Amino acid sequence: MKELISGKSKALVLIAITYAFAKFQGGFASWFLFYSCLVFLAYEVLAFSLMFTGLEVEREIDRSRLQEGEDVIVTVRLKRRIWFPLGWNMVIEPLPERLAGVYEPHRQLVFPWFKRSVEFRYVIPGLPRGYYHLEACVISGGDFFGFIERRRTFPLSNDLLVYPRYRELNSWSLGDGNFSGTIHVSHRYSDDVAAVRGVRDYQRGDRMSQIHWRASARGTGLKTKEFEHQAMNQVVFFLDVEKEHYQNKPFQLFETAVKLTASLTAYANRNQYHYGLVYKQKDRVAIPPACSPTHFFRVFDQLARVMPEGTDSFVRILRREALEQPPGVTLTVITACLDKELVDLLTRLSHRGRRVQLLYVHDDPLLSLDEKQALRLLASGRVTCKAVPMSDVEEWKRIGGA
C-alpha cells in the first residue's frame, strides 16, 4: 500500500513540476513536455483502472491421482477481455502447508503486451504421500514505468491425492492355503455349473444370467439358480495412527507402516483375497472386507490421506473394532508401539479363536530385550508376529511367521 501511494505521489509531483516549468518558462518545448506527461498520466490511470478488469485465471493439473515420488505438471492460464497493454504480471502460486517447507512458491513474471491469453507451466517434483489442496492464486500487476502496482487474490481450487508407493511381496502367511471366513460366490462364478446346488422360484431383482432355463421350461414358472458358498481368505488391516506412538521418532517410521499396509493390500488384491481397513484419526474409518478395483482405490484413497494424528488409544479402538468383525476374519495389526496392554489384548483375541497377525515396525536396527520378549510371548499365544525394520525393506518380500 505504501508503494502504491508513493507511485501515485510521484506521478502527481511530476505533472505539477512540468506544469510549473511550462507556466514560468513558456515556449513550445516546455508545454510539449507538460502535455506529454498528461498522456503519461492518462496511461497510468487506465493501467490502474483496467489492471484486473475482465481478468480470468484458470489452473489445471495434468492428473489428480498419482503415486509417491511422481511429478505433477501445473498449467496456469490468464485470460483477459481487454487488450490494453498493462505492463507486467507476477503470478505467485502458494503451495500447500505440507510442501511449504520443502519447495518455494512458484513465481512467474509475465508480460502480456497485447495478448488476451497467456499460459505457462511449472512442475512440482517428487510429491510425498498425502492429500494436497492447491488454493488461491495471487497475481500482482504494474505499469512499464514502475509507478503503480496492484495485487489481487483469485480463488482457485485443485485437489491432489498422492498414493503410497508399495512393494511387490513374494508371499504372505495369510495366503498359506488356510481359508478364513465364507462369502457368497461372486457374480463371475454364476455360470459355473459345479457351483450350482439347486434352484428356487424367481424373485424380482434376479439377474437374467442366474435363471435356470431348463428347469423353467418344465412349466412351473421361472426358476433361479442357487449357488454354493465359497471359502475365501479375508483380512482386516488395523493401522495404528495414535499420535503418541510416533512422537520423538522419525517421520519415516509412520510412512513405513503405511507403505507396509499398502503392500499387503496390493498382495491381497492380486490374490483375490477380501481385505478391509480400520483406523481412527479424527473420524472413524472402517472399510469392510471386499475385493474389486473400486474397493482397491477406496482403500488406497484412505492410505493416501492418513496421518499420525489420532488422539484415541489404539488399543481401545482395536478392542472395540475387533468385536465387530465376523469370525474367521484375520486381524492384521500394523503398529509402532509394542506395549503390555497391546500384547495382552492380542493374546486374549487369539485365545478366543480369532486369527491375529502383528506387524511391528521399528526404527532401531536391533530389537531390545523387552521387544523380543513381547514377540516371544505373542508367538506362544498363537499370534503370528513379525518385526519389520524401517531401514531394511528387503524383508518385506516375505511377510509372516514368528
Side-chain angles (χ1 to χ4, degrees), residues 346-362:
L346 296 182
T347 304
R348 288 198 306 269
L349 289 173
S350 179
H351 288 166
R352 293 174 185 173
R354 307 306 297 265
R355 189 176 182 183
V356 184
Q357 186 179 55
L358 172 70
L359 298 175
Y360 174 58
V361 294
H362 57 93

Side-chain angles (χ1 to χ4, degrees), residues 37 108 143:
C37 289
Q108 183 78 29
D143 64 311

Side-chain angles (χ1 to χ4, degrees), residues 7 21 33 43 68 100 107 143 173 190 192 205 255 267 273 292 302 379 387:
F21 178 73
L33 181 62
Y43 165 76
E68 179 183 1
R107 301 172 183 268
D143 64 311
S173 62
S190 61
D192 187 1
E255 294 299 312
Y267 181 90
Y273 303 155
S292 67
Q302 296 299 328

Side-chain angles (χ1 to χ4, degrees), residues 33-49:
L33 181 62
F34 170 70
Y35 289 121
S36 299
C37 289
L38 287 180
V39 175
F40 164 76
L41 180 62
Y43 165 76
E44 294 293 330
V45 171
L46 287 174
F48 180 82
S49 303

Side-chain angles (χ1 to χ4, degrees), residues 198-251:
V199 294
R200 59 172 173 81
D201 292 335
Y202 174 82
Q203 296 177 1
R204 184 177 180 181
D206 290 343
R207 297 182 298 112
M208 295 295 292
S209 60
Q210 292 179 334
I211 295 178
H212 198 296
W213 296 106
R214 186 171 297 177
S216 301
R218 295 172 183 171
T220 57
L222 289 177
K223 300 295 181 180
T224 303
K225 303 173 188 176
E226 279 194 326
F227 300 96
E228 296 285 351
H229 293 354
Q230 180 190 17
M232 177 72 68
N233 280 309
Q234 297 188 78
V235 59
V236 174
F237 300 106
F238 290 87
L239 180 60
D240 183 7
V241 299
E242 186 175 348
K243 187 175 183 180
E244 293 184 359
H245 292 173
Y246 298 94
Q247 287 182 342
N248 302 323
K249 293 183 179 180
F251 180 76

Side-chain angles (χ1 to χ4, degrees), residues 271-289:
N271 290 274
Q272 298 296 310
Y273 303 155
H274 282 222
Y275 52 91
L277 175 67
V278 174
Y279 70 85
K280 185 177 181 182
Q281 190 172 318
K282 293 181 180 179
D283 300 324
R284 172 179 177 266
V285 174
I287 303 176

Side-chain angles (χ1 to χ4, degrees), residues 166-175 262-273 296:
Y166 61 88
R167 291 181 174 271
E168 297 289 343
L169 302 181
N170 296 334
S171 62
W172 182 21
S173 62
L174 184 68
S263 300
L264 295 174
T265 300
Y267 181 90
N269 185 77
R270 187 170 65 252
N271 290 274
Q272 298 296 310
Y273 303 155
F296 178 79

